Amino acid sequence: MKSIYRALFTFALLASTVVARPSPHDVFNDLMAPEAPLKRSAQASLKQVSDFGANTSKVKMYIYVPDKLADKPPIIVAIHYCTGTASGYYSGSPYAKLADQKGFVVIYPESPYSGTCWDVSSKASLTHNGGGNSNSIANMVTYALDKYKGDPTKVFVTGSSSGAMMTNVMAATYPEMFAAAIVYSGTAAGCFYSTSGGADQWNNSCANGQARGTPQVWAKMVFDMYPNYEGARPKMQIYHGSSDSTLAPANYNETIKEWCGVFGYDYTKPDSTKANSPASRYTTYSWGDRLVGIYAQGVGHTVPIRGADDMAYFGL
């Protein structure tokens, strides 16, 4: 595994540098509100769970369970951005309200670090069962599936900004766990890897869009996060804005290249291109039945969450 990490960072000129974290930003989707206004349950609330399993990286687990829980409920993992919190993402994203309507469980992990970005840089977090943040979040899913008799074929993950980076990492390190992932303005899995081995390290080269690799190089990085795994992988939907000044738009291209490499698609030849979809100045590109890229012209950091569209992609 060390060789591919070294090769990627030699090729892409990645140099990890700790800098100030991005400022808070709104993530609520005003564009795709459900047709009928949804009211939050008077009884259900966000609750912390402290005994969900091994948690060497000290990630906090919060969970929202609606009063009317579906039989074998689906589970959505919703991962906050830098400077965010579980309660902030619970309040500022549409997933809890949609859970009231559809009966699924929502897990809101919370970063343990100052600035509350996610560790998408250490080998521990970039390795299946490596003991990092990804391992802790996977253990939250296992806990919820057991406690609420969840449907293991309907587990999904999504996130914004740093949470979007972790979404890509979760799809790479625990592909057997998730049916689909939606990434709102992130970077390719492994792009923030720290050559010094540091956890929760900011990487200027990646953030600025200077980390470039071939689909094969990116894909090998994903494969090395879970060596010898040959099973199914989640389908992926990638959003990014053309005016993103926090995580440069080039990161959209690299993320698409990464998953095209994983799935065996030619990133230069999408099967379909739809202008002004799902909204004006958004363009949707599709590769096979496993990968969708949505590029939003004039949109900054981050692309707003599209709750109803997310439900459709997840099949809920």
Side-chain angles (χ1 to χ4, degrees):
M1 183 182 297
K2 291 182 179 178
S3 62
I4 185 60
Y5 286 140
R6 189 177 299 113
L8 176 60
F9 297 107
T10 299
F11 178 82
L13 300 178
L14 296 180
S16 298
T17 305
V18 178
V19 298
R21 302 302 191 186
S23 60
H25 49 274
D26 181 29
V27 296
F28 189 74
N29 173 23
D30 292 323
L31 300 176
M32 290 294 294
E35 292 181 1
L38 298 177
K39 296 182 179 180
R40 188 69 53 81
S41 167
Q43 299 298 320
S45 61
L46 185 69
K47 296 180 180 179
Q48 185 172 3
V49 177
S50 58
D51 57 349
F52 60 86
N55 184 27
T56 57
S57 68
K58 297 182 172 55
V59 178
K60 295 179 182 178
M61 177 184 181
Y62 292 83
I63 195 166
Y64 181 77
V65 181
D67 290 332
K68 294 182 179 179
L69 192 62
D71 292 334
K72 293 190 69 175
I75 294 173
I76 293 179
V77 181
I79 309 177
H80 67 71
Y81 44 85
C82 287
T83 74
T85 61
S87 62
Y89 212 50
Y90 162 77
S91 300
S93 66
Y95 301 116
K97 291 181 181 180
L98 290 164
D100 287 337
Q101 183 187 58
K102 297 178 179 292
F104 57 79
V105 172
V106 191
I107 295 171
Y108 296 93
E110 184 171 290
S111 166
Y113 308 108
S114 174
T116 66
C117 290
W118 291 97
D119 175 17
V120 292
S121 60
S122 74
K123 184 177 178 181
S125 200
L126 297 175
T127 302
H128 180 81
N129 290 343
N133 286 180
S134 61
N135 201 161
S136 294
I137 294 172
N139 289 343
M140 296 176 192
V141 173
T142 300
Y143 166 89
L145 284 170
D146 180 64
K147 182 171 180 62
Y148 300 103
K149 307 284 191 291
D151 187 341
T153 70
K154 294 182 179 179
V155 179
F156 310 99
V157 60
T158 186
S160 300
S161 189
S162 183
M165 298 183 208
M166 180 53 76
T167 297
N168 274 323
V169 169
M170 294 307 301
T173 53
Y174 292 90
E176 79 287 5
M177 184 167 279
F178 300 102
I182 299 178
V183 176
Y184 283 101
S185 306
T187 64
C191 189
F192 260 50
Y193 175 73
S194 170
T195 55
S196 67
D200 183 37
Q201 295 293 296
W202 188 260
N203 188 306
N204 265 337
S205 295
C206 179
N208 293 337
Q210 297 168 330
R212 308 292 175 92
T214 66
Q216 293 74 28
V217 167
W218 283 118
K220 192 172 190 312
M221 197 163 201
V222 169
F223 298 148
D224 282 353
M225 292 183 194
Y226 192 173
N228 302 316
Y229 177 76
E230 297 181 355
R233 294 183 183 273
K235 65 178 185 177
M236 304 295 299
Q237 188 170 76
I238 313 300
Y239 283 89
H240 216 99
S242 69
S243 298
D244 195 324
S245 59
T246 302
L247 299 174
N251 284 297
Y252 167 82
N253 295 328
E254 299 308 304
T255 305
I256 292 296
K257 286 159 67 176
E258 179 170 67
W259 292 110
C260 278
V262 169
F263 294 126
Y265 300 139
D266 183 343
Y267 80 96
T268 67
K269 297 177 180 179
D271 294 320
S272 67
T273 301
K274 296 180 181 179
N276 297 313
S277 175
S280 177
R281 303 191 73 196
Y282 284 52
T283 303
T284 297
Y285 305 89
S286 298
W287 290 262
D289 62 354
R290 310 305 297 166
L291 179 62
V292 176
I294 301 175
Y295 196 64
Q297 288 289 340
V299 177
H301 193 78
T302 64
V303 174
I305 295 172
R306 303 185 64 84
D309 285 354
D310 288 2
M311 297 299 100
Y313 192 70
F314 289 156
L316 300 178

